[in-house]
Amino acid sequence: MGIDVDIIFKIAGVGIVVAFLHTILDQVGKKEYAQWVTLFGFIYILFMVASIVSDLFGKIKSVFLFQ
């Protein structure tokens, strides 16, 4: 039971890559692209977290409905 450590490392890895790309693009002068990279990274992580929360609600539902 509990959250897999693999998912935490995926989220951290995406965060590191997005931060790296944002910094590089910001220094080059492509601030618009840097903001888009950050937005897409945030949306990707948001979908990952949404799937984790969906699994959690499924487990809670199965516990309380005795299925």
Side-chain angles (χ1 to χ4, degrees), residues 12-32:
V14 170
I16 290 170
V17 169
V18 167
F20 178 74
L21 289 174
H22 181 83
T23 303
I24 295 298
L25 289 171
D26 198 25
Q27 288 179 354
V28 172
K30 304 285 185 178
K31 292 188 180 198
E32 295 85 13

